[in-house]
Amino acid sequence: GYTRVEFEIPARGLIGYRNEFLTDTKGEGVMNHSFLEFRPYSGTVTSRKNGALVSMENGEALGYSIFNLQERGTMFIKPQDKVYGGMVIGEHARENDLDVNPIKGKQLSNVRSS
């Protein structure tokens, strides 16, 4: 059968829930969310299994750094997206929040490797 559930929740409460939802529904569930309105801060989210990947720099995200950060968790941004310090750019695979640098480029040298 089908079950439809509608509720209002802060967006920060949904971070990390998608994977749990898909596991609970054995991949069959469909989840949709949309912005309702801005509201005053309503308290802390009581339980969160995964932390957040938080940008520590301002600038434009680079593909090189995003590729290297993928092993840390799921990314919400793509290359050339503008980011700012404190912006949540991904979901960390572990419980703690992690400050990362999504604008770090590849170190270029003038020497050809042989």
Side-chain angles (χ1 to χ4, degrees):
Y2 293 99
T3 303
R4 181 182 175 111
V5 179
E6 291 187 28
F7 54 91
E8 296 176 11
I9 185 172
R12 59 193 165 82
L14 289 175
I15 294 177
Y17 180 66
R18 184 174 187 276
N19 290 336
E20 182 179 344
F21 175 77
L22 288 174
T23 301
D24 292 343
T25 60
K26 298 182 176 96
E28 297 290 325
V30 176
M31 184 169 72
N32 182 27
H33 54 90
S34 59
F35 177 77
L36 177 64
E37 63 187 358
F38 284 107
R39 290 188 180 170
Y41 182 73
S42 59
T44 60
V45 177
T46 56
S47 65
R48 197 171 83 179
K49 290 184 180 180
N50 297 43
L53 295 174
V54 181
S55 173
M56 55 191 240
E57 297 289 335
N58 297 329
E60 189 174 283
L62 298 177
Y64 176 78
S65 60
I66 292 176
F67 178 77
N68 290 328
L69 291 173
Q70 284 179 345
E71 63 191 31
R72 302 276 187 166
T74 307
M75 302 302 293
F76 300 154
I77 61 170
K78 55 189 182 301
Q80 299 180 345
D81 282 352
K82 301 284 186 201
V83 297
Y84 56 87
M87 178 178 176
V88 176
I89 61 168
E91 175 186 349
H92 193 202
R94 298 188 180 174
E95 294 179 1
N96 60 323
D97 292 347
L98 185 64
D99 291 335
V100 295
N101 186 356
I103 65 169
K104 181 179 178 183
K106 185 174 182 178
Q107 184 68 35
L108 301 176
S109 70
N110 227 4
V111 179
R112 175 182 282 179
S113 62
S114 54

